[in-house]
Amino acid sequence: MDKIRIRGGAPLSGNITISGAKNAALPLMAACLLTDKPLHLVNVPDLSDVTSMAELLTQLGGEVDFKKAAESHRMTLCAKDLSSTTAPYDLVRKMRASVLVLGPLVARAGEANVSLPGGCAIGTRPIDLHLKGLEALGAEIALDGGYIHAKAPQGLKGATFTFPIISVTGTENLLMAATLAKGETRLINAAREPEVGDLAHCLNGMGAKISGIGTDTLIIEGVNRLEGTTHHVIADRIEAGTYAMAAALTNGSVRLKGAHLALIPTVAALLQQAGVELEENDDSVLVKGPSDRLQGVDMMTEPFPGFATDLQAQWMALMSLTEGAAMITETIWENRFMHVPELCRMGANITVHGSSALVRGVQQLKGAPVMATDLRASVSLVLAGLVATGDTLINRVYHLDRGYERVEEKLRACGADIERVR
Ligand code: EPZ
């Protein structure tokens, strides 16, 4: 199994090009099931989660052609004829975002059988809201043998659905389903994450009628059919935030090409409070570490535009070297502190109290062998390794490959001493 070895200490300096967003690309790929025409996606990141989604779409009868070029990967997807409406356990358990095929399949084929995803490292992750929303649109849902069986033989009907709590993929599933429903659908308390907006823009490009994009109320006027389109996937704000924190931690200076502060408003504000300099130009953000030590800044994860939970572990790595202390509160996932014991093995001083963690800044982290537990936890260990004295050896790096494209290459280009070992 691959490992990553990092020798810490070098301040990062140079340019990093931000890839297309994983969490935008996955629902965009699933949207190909809504039409028999080709969907062209530009700026698709080359990640194992993208490969898993392509595998699932192929299993359903779609054709996926992924052309990888240096700067801009292009993917053409075409689900001319659906050969199956079943998303099997073996594929869904590998990647929970597979549940994103549920809405499009019911809307286009009138039925879907999708394996229940089960729990995962960061929380129980129920999908009850996806199912309640589809029921509101007229689907009949039954759970049997570990599968969701959804049926709408006469087609879906527009309705108003209020999310009791904000769900990103729940909003995306219902948004896709509602595009082909009869009449108007209103999704209230919808997720406002930029990836939801990106999907809505692409669907409109395919002929859907969605308004309220970027707000918490999405209004969808159903249409009879959707066409193909060409769509550019937005930049990965989580990758941008991660490398901004890497630059800050190592007291470096890194230009993030393709990054936009509007996609990480709260993260940007908190970085500045911590003493990090951010300078936005046309299509890049220059991040400079503080002239003095980083300051401890409290943080709470929240749905967009709040601080993204997918940057919580990285923030914790950053806060572990500050002057003073920081309280980090996780409000989205109930078990997203698995990086804490690993960071502590590297010398961080962190105590967990329920859903909050108190991080007391230390002068120095020390390299150690550590274990990656999920995607964002893994990258927080990379950040810690970049600034620790000596060698850090990160095990189970397959988690990283799910969401970070060419991570060693990007960091090495900025002077990091990092390599993959087998
Ligand atoms: C998306 O997951 C992201 N995944 C996650 O990124 C991210 O952490 C999360 O949103 C929150 O921002 C993708 O976009 C593919 P939710 P999702 O439904 O949609 C509860 C990463 O590292 N809930 O917004 O699955 C749920 O338990 C990943 O890239 C229900 O109770 O998350 C959680 O507490 C990890 N019932 C909260 O809502 C439901 O039916 C938010 O979850 C659905 C969700």
Side-chain angles (χ1 to χ4, degrees):
M1 216 178 274
D2 287 5
K3 295 176 182 155
I4 280 186
R5 187 200 56 78
I6 308 172
R7 180 155 298 165
L12 295 182
S13 168
N15 296 320
I16 294 181
T17 300
I18 301 304
S19 298
K22 164 181 87 82
N23 289 346
L26 297 174
L28 286 166
M29 289 172 72
C32 82
L33 296 171
L34 291 164
T35 174
D36 58 0
K37 297 286 171 8
L39 172 63
H40 306 280
L41 299 177
V42 184
N43 199 33
V44 176
D46 184 13
L47 301 168
S48 63
D49 271 11
V50 165
T51 309
S52 301
M53 182 59 93
E55 223 179 296
L56 173 57
L57 295 171
T58 308
Q59 168 111 6
L60 299 172
E63 283 176 17
V64 182
D65 178 33
F66 194 11
K67 290 203 166 51
K68 299 165 198 173
E71 287 291 313
S72 184
H73 309 324
R74 295 179 72 95
M75 181 179 274
T76 299
L77 305 106
C78 187
K80 191 163 184 293
D81 301 301
L82 295 176
S83 57
S84 163
T85 50
T86 300
Y89 176 66
D90 272 354
L91 291 177
V92 180
R93 83 180 156 81
K94 268 211 278 184
M95 186 187 62
R96 299 183 49 89
S98 307
V99 77
L100 284 164
V101 301
L102 179 62
L105 281 178
V106 189
R108 166 130 171 242
E111 64 162 41
N113 306 294
V114 176
S115 169
L116 278 163
C120 91
I122 60 176
T124 49
R125 304 190 75 172
I127 53 156
D128 54 314
L129 302 177
H130 302 230
L131 306 185
K132 283 191 182 124
L134 283 174
E135 276 177 338
L137 295 180
E140 285 169 27
I141 309 269
L143 301 181
D144 185 36
Y147 276 76
I148 305 153
H149 301 283
K151 272 196 182 141
Q154 310 307 323
L156 295 170
K157 285 202 186 75
T160 295
F161 182 73
T162 305
F163 285 91
I165 50 171
I166 294 172
S167 166
V168 177
T169 51
T171 302
E172 292 165 347
N173 236 335
L174 295 189
L175 182 62
M176 289 189 277
T179 56
L180 292 180
K182 288 185 194 79
E184 185 185 277
T185 298
R186 279 176 180 258
L187 300 179
I188 296 172
N189 200 25
R192 287 185 285 158
E193 268 63 7
E195 294 74 22
V196 176
D198 201 35
L199 173 65
H201 286 300
C202 176
L203 292 169
N204 277 351
M206 294 165 73
K209 290 188 178 157
I210 302 168
S211 56
I213 300 174
T215 75
D216 63 0
T217 303
L218 293 169
I219 301 161
I220 307 113
E221 184 59 45
V223 295
N224 288 333
R225 52 176 290 118
L226 293 176
E227 305 294 333
T229 192
T230 298
H231 181 81
H232 192 279
V233 181
I234 53 166
D236 196 317
R237 63 196 166 101
I238 306 301
E239 191 195 23
T242 301
Y243 288 129
M245 291 182 209
L249 247 184
T250 61
N251 213 353
S253 170
V254 175
R255 185 170 294 283
L256 303 174
K257 292 165 99 177
H260 301 284
L261 294 182
L263 296 181
I264 44 167
T266 311
V267 176
L270 266 56
L271 278 170
Q272 283 166 329
Q273 275 182 45
V276 181
E277 279 180 47
L278 301 173
E279 201 183 295
E280 185 157 23
N281 294 319
D282 290 348
D283 195 33
S284 71
V285 175
L286 179 65
V287 186
K288 282 191 194 160
S291 42
D292 211 345
R293 273 188 83 186
L294 284 158
Q295 298 300 309
V297 178
D298 293 350
M299 181 278 276
M300 182 187 279
T301 63
E302 282 173 328
F304 190 83
F307 195 106
T309 171
D310 294 345
L311 283 167
Q312 178 258 106
Q314 301 88 314
W315 187 256
M316 195 174 289
L318 185 74
M319 290 296 107
S320 62
L321 280 172
T322 56
E323 193 161 53
M327 182 68 91
I328 295 180
T329 304
E330 172 60 58
T331 71
I332 311 286
W333 300 116
E334 69 273 21
N335 192 26
R336 214 176 198 183
F337 282 146
M338 304 230 290
H339 40 284
V340 170
E342 301 302 309
L343 288 171
C344 290
R345 296 186 64 250
M346 296 177 71
N349 181 346
I350 307 168
T351 337
V352 175
H353 305 270
S355 60
S356 292
L358 178 62
V359 188
R360 294 185 176 89
V362 295
Q363 288 282 348
Q364 187 64 60
L365 295 177
K366 215 169 155 205
V370 285
M371 185 79 84
T373 47
D374 76 76
L375 169 58
R376 310 302 172 185
S378 316
V379 87
S380 76
L381 301 175
V382 172
L383 298 196
L386 287 172
V387 76
T389 55
D391 278 11
T392 295
L393 192 66
I394 306 174
N395 291 281
R396 296 200 186 160
V397 294
Y398 56 84
H399 290 295
L400 268 183
D401 298 330
R402 297 186 60 175
Y404 289 90
E405 190 176 34
R406 297 181 285 111
V407 64
E408 313 97 277
E409 204 183 301
K410 290 188 183 190
L411 287 170
R412 232 179 356 245
C414 290
D417 184 349
I418 176 169
E419 64 173 351
R420 191 172 286 243
V421 290
R422 285 166 206 273

